[in-house]
Amino acid sequence: MSELALDDVKDRLFREARTANGYTDRAVTEDVLRALYDLYKWGPTSTNQQPLRVVWCIGETAKGRLADLCYPGNAEKVRGAPAVGVFGMDLDFLRHLPRLFPHVDARSWYGDDRKLIAESAFRNSTLQAGYLIVAARLLGLATNPMSGFDEEGVNAAFFPEGNVRVNFITTLGYGDPAAVHPRAPRFDFDEVSRII
Amino acid sequence: MSELALDDVKDRLFREARTANGYTDRAVTEDVLRALYDLYKWGPTSTNQQPLRVVWCIGETAKGRLADLCYPGNAEKVRGAPAVGVFGMDLDFLRHLPRLFPHVDARSWYGDDRKLIAESAFRNSTLQAGYLIVAARLLGLATNPMSGFDEEGVNAAFFPEGNVRVNFITTLGYGDPAAVHPRAPRFDFDEVSRII
């Protein structure tokens, strides 16, 4: 990879990348969602647990159902986006570990500690969502992650099986550069980091 | 960015990237840690809260102190790595919002709900850690994130100010390709995703 391309990538993924407040009309197809998965799935999780579960809403009915469970500002964003991901975490991820982490019995490390298991599912599904947000940018997409919605309502509507609970949601599409807000400030390195 | 470069980036960040189980002797310098920050800091967080606080251990004393608080297998990894990041979350992030999210009073959205505030700090510091893991790969670095340590001991030793609590830790360095484990399996798209 040439230095020029590396610099372009830094811009695309981080330095110039922006949360979208509006999208072009270009649809997010199933092929794109599968290509996105084929990138973010490779990011690391504790004991390879991969607890993230995603319901992608691309139909108007699905988006409307989700929007009805969102706080007002977020509801508009959900209705107006090409796609919306509902990110859940599987609290029963342990049952998959013999297949996902076959070389050792990692289930015993969690024991029956429901708090530890829920915390681990929350942490690792969030990490996967972070990988997804960056991977989306690599594919030319933008996101707008959100937390303001009726959690119990979303669980009942999108994860009725009971073992999955919603973490957060995000819109997804091809960002409209004209709809971006001014960039908000970031901490300086020394305010949030120490080297010892 | 040419298609060839884009494909290289997909490999470097996701498809061919691996968690390191050993590192070369090359040091992780302060300049590199600052360059890493200047990438991952741009990733989005709720109300731009940026709750991640990192203590980078690069000295032998610091790494030894952390290793003594880790479970046995992790202790060896910590001692043997060029750098180790202790990732904390600032539970008092609200006090910075007038500066970080100046256009609206977002503090009122959280109210006095300590559970909501702690959950938001956990989610958003984890997202930032996810951005960091991918950004490290862009700089040619590798990580090995870990959760097995004495949480209260790490809080007391690395975040004595009290408002920051540890989330997880990771080693950081230039990965030794010879020390990589065989790749563990990933779920198929249809096992963990639905499109509606």
Side-chain angles (χ1 to χ4, degrees):
Chain A
M1 190 159 51
S2 72
E3 281 308 303
L4 183 64
L6 181 60
D7 218 51
D8 289 345
V9 177
K10 289 177 182 174
D11 284 345
R12 183 193 280 214
L13 299 186
F14 297 105
R15 297 186 305 209
E16 302 288 327
R18 300 300 310 279
T19 294
N21 282 287
Y23 295 98
T24 70
D25 289 338
R26 187 174 167 191
V28 174
T29 62
E30 178 173 339
D31 281 353
V32 167
L33 296 175
R34 289 180 178 272
L36 178 60
Y37 183 68
D38 283 337
L39 294 177
Y40 82 75
K41 71 178 180 185
W42 294 117
T45 54
S46 299
T47 64
N48 197 33
Q49 61 181 249
Q50 304 167 61
L52 182 65
R53 304 291 178 268
V54 184
V55 179
W56 288 111
C57 303
I58 57 172
E60 296 310 312
T61 307
K63 284 189 271 183
R65 198 170 170 201
L66 179 59
D68 288 343
L69 294 161
C70 287
Y71 299 165
N74 291 346
E76 290 165 46
K77 293 187 196 174
V78 165
R79 281 183 219 282
V84 191
V86 184
F87 294 163
M89 52 187 127
D90 184 356
L91 299 176
D92 274 351
F93 67 83
L94 288 183
R95 73 187 189 282
H96 299 293
L97 293 195
R99 173 183 155 207
L100 299 176
F101 202 70
H103 54 290
V104 62
D105 176 20
R107 282 181 299 184
S108 63
W109 302 350
Y110 298 90
D112 292 326
D113 188 339
R114 296 310 300 178
K115 182 169 172 292
L116 172 71
I117 291 166
E119 190 177 280
S120 195
F122 186 24
R123 177 183 294 113
N124 285 283
S125 64
T126 305
L127 276 177
Q128 288 187 282
Y131 307 144
L132 184 159
I133 288 168
V134 181
R137 293 168 168 190
L138 192 51
L139 297 180
L141 295 152
T143 61
N144 187 319
M146 292 175 272
S147 286
F149 51 82
D150 168 4
E151 281 188 29
E152 292 312 318
V154 170
N155 285 331
F158 293 90
F159 301 114
E161 60 275 33
N163 57 308
V164 177
R165 293 188 61 81
V166 68
N167 185 339
F168 66 97
I169 67 173
T170 188
T171 58
L172 178 74
Y174 297 89
D176 176 2
V180 160
H181 290 316
R183 187 144 219 170
R186 294 302 190 270
F187 281 119
D188 293 331
F189 177 87
D190 296 294
E191 293 179 283
V192 290
S193 319
R194 273 197 305 141
I195 301 177
I196 59 176
Chain B
M1 190 159 49
S2 72
E3 281 308 304
L4 183 64
L6 181 60
D7 219 49
D8 288 345
V9 177
K10 290 176 182 173
D11 284 345
R12 182 193 281 215
L13 299 186
F14 297 104
R15 297 187 304 208
E16 302 287 326
R18 300 299 311 279
T19 294
N21 282 288
Y23 296 98
T24 69
D25 290 339
R26 186 173 166 191
V28 174
T29 63
E30 177 172 339
D31 282 354
V32 166
L33 296 175
R34 288 180 180 272
L36 178 59
Y37 183 69
D38 283 338
L39 293 177
Y40 81 75
K41 72 180 180 185
W42 295 118
T45 55
S46 300
T47 63
N48 196 34
Q49 60 181 249
Q50 304 167 58
L52 182 65
R53 303 291 178 268
V54 183
V55 179
W56 289 110
C57 303
I58 59 172
E60 295 309 314
T61 307
K63 284 188 270 182
R65 197 170 171 200
L66 179 59
D68 288 343
L69 294 162
C70 288
Y71 299 165
N74 291 346
E76 289 164 46
K77 294 187 196 174
V78 165
R79 282 184 219 281
V84 191
V86 185
F87 294 163
M89 52 187 127
D90 184 357
L91 298 176
D92 273 352
F93 67 83
L94 287 183
R95 72 188 189 283
H96 299 293
L97 292 195
R99 173 182 155 209
L100 299 177
F101 201 71
H103 53 290
V104 63
D105 177 19
R107 282 181 299 183
S108 63
W109 301 351
Y110 297 90
D112 292 325
D113 187 340
R114 295 310 299 178
K115 183 170 171 291
L116 172 71
I117 291 166
E119 189 177 281
S120 194
F122 186 25
R123 177 184 294 112
N124 286 284
S125 65
T126 305
L127 276 178
Q128 288 186 282
Y131 307 146
L132 185 159
I133 289 168
V134 181
R137 293 168 167 190
L138 192 51
L139 297 181
L141 295 152
T143 62
N144 187 320
M146 291 175 271
S147 285
F149 52 82
D150 168 6
E151 280 189 29
E152 292 313 319
V154 170
N155 285 331
F158 293 90
F159 301 113
E161 59 275 34
N163 56 306
V164 177
R165 294 188 59 81
V166 67
N167 184 340
F168 67 98
I169 67 174
T170 188
T171 57
L172 178 74
Y174 298 89
D176 175 3
V180 160
H181 290 316
R183 187 144 221 170
R186 295 301 191 271
F187 281 119
D188 292 331
F189 177 86
D190 296 295
E191 293 178 283
V192 291
S193 319
R194 274 197 303 142
I195 302 176
I196 58 178

